[in-house]
Amino acid sequence: GVIHLRNLSPAVTKKDLSAFFQPFSTDYRDESGSIEFVQDADGLRTDRAYVGFDLPGEADKVFEAFASGRAQISAGLDGAVSTVSMSKVKERVIRRGSKADRPGPRGEEELLDDLHNWERHVDPEDLQALNDLGITRDILDEIFVTLRYQNETFAAADQARKGERSHPEYARGDHYRRMVRLYAKTLLEVSVTPEEPGLLYEGMFPDNAEVDMSIFDDEKERINTLRKKTTGHS
């Protein structure tokens, strides 16, 4: 449900409103996605706002506590108190289709598949090319899983609802998908081999001098050592 507020103090913030309505909400309130201040034609904030509630019956609890439709809401910064008028917004009937339900919790199997099955986002030919270069699936798996665990923008903030995602212009999970594709493409573009070490590496040696290729053997040995530590085999 949605509640319309009027006569708000100019000092009241979304944080103040979230704190005020939190006791009526089952889940932790999202400050940016569930509250919208009304602006005038010049883009200036008015004394009105809309406050959304996720679950059925939450907005009704507010009017059970404030039967008069009025409540005193204070601003956190200066403590100014204003008597606010509240009214519940009537939802329109959708003649075609239906109102989207809140996404339900995903099962363990679906969550694990979403975490580890990054290959579905990469061109199979690119995966094979990376494998031929020695960049195998286990290496990429560790990279992408680490990114999901350590960077919220590729995890919870990417899987949230539209108004709460770090990139609301993307579809759910699209920020992570784009990153995986770009990462794989970039690896292919910058990867070198002993047969084609690249102009950057060749430029480190004087003209007519033999290009030292031992760095490739050293890198192969380093990777094998890391694999033994993490998997127990090379």
Side-chain angles (χ1 to χ4, degrees):
V2 179
I3 293 178
H4 179 219
L5 306 179
R6 290 178 297 161
N7 198 38
L8 284 169
S9 164
V12 170
T13 65
K14 289 186 176 182
K15 185 176 182 180
D16 296 328
L17 294 178
S18 291
F20 181 83
F21 289 107
Q22 183 60 60
F24 307 99
S25 304
T26 302
D27 296 334
Y28 184 77
R29 293 195 60 85
D30 169 52
E31 293 178 15
S32 59
S34 63
I35 299 172
E36 196 68 40
F37 288 111
V38 178
Q39 297 179 334
D40 62 18
D42 296 321
L44 300 176
R45 179 181 143 180
T46 67
D47 66 342
R48 293 176 291 136
Y50 289 94
V51 180
F53 295 83
D54 290 331
L55 300 180
E58 289 183 338
D60 295 330
K61 292 180 182 178
V62 176
F63 291 97
E64 290 175 6
F66 301 95
S68 65
R70 294 179 179 273
Q72 290 189 323
I73 299 179
S74 61
L77 293 177
D78 58 12
V81 178
S82 54
T83 301
V84 179
S85 297
M86 303 182 294
S87 59
K88 189 174 180 181
V89 177
K90 294 182 179 180
E91 297 186 11
R92 292 182 179 180
V93 176
I94 302 175
R95 300 187 182 278
R96 295 184 180 180
S98 59
K99 184 177 179 181
D101 293 329
R102 187 181 187 187
R106 294 188 292 172
E108 181 180 358
E109 184 177 348
E110 183 182 356
L111 289 170
L112 290 174
D113 179 71
D114 184 68
L115 178 63
H116 293 284
N117 190 13
W118 51 264
E119 294 181 53
R120 58 185 167 174
H121 308 314
V122 183
D123 188 325
E125 293 185 1
D126 290 346
L127 276 178
Q128 184 58 52
L130 289 169
N131 187 76
D132 295 340
L133 290 168
I135 306 174
T136 56
R137 186 196 185 284
D138 57 325
I139 295 175
L140 294 172
D141 189 59
E142 183 176 353
I143 291 170
F144 294 135
V145 171
T146 301
L147 275 172
R148 293 292 292 273
Y149 274 116
Q150 297 188 1
N151 191 323
E152 186 180 276
T153 62
F154 297 122
D158 190 33
Q159 295 292 328
R161 287 170 294 172
K162 186 174 182 179
E164 302 171 6
R165 287 197 287 269
S166 56
H167 291 271
E169 70 276 15
Y170 292 164
R172 183 179 176 186
D174 200 35
H175 185 44
Y176 176 70
R177 284 190 288 270
R178 290 166 179 257
M179 182 277 298
V180 171
R181 294 191 193 110
L182 178 62
Y183 197 100
K185 290 288 186 185
T186 303
L187 274 180
L188 279 175
E189 291 175 2
V190 302
S191 295
V192 295
T193 64
E195 294 74 27
E196 296 183 15
L199 295 176
L200 182 62
Y201 184 68
E202 291 177 345
M204 297 172 62
F205 299 88
D207 294 341
N208 302 321
E210 182 179 357
V211 178
D212 183 7
M213 298 296 181
S214 62
I215 187 173
F216 292 96
D217 294 329
D218 295 339
E219 180 64 10
K220 186 180 294 185
E221 183 178 347
R222 185 185 72 84
I223 291 176
N224 285 334
T225 301
L226 287 174
R227 285 179 178 168
K228 288 178 181 179
K229 289 181 179 179
T230 57
T231 65
H233 57 81
S234 59

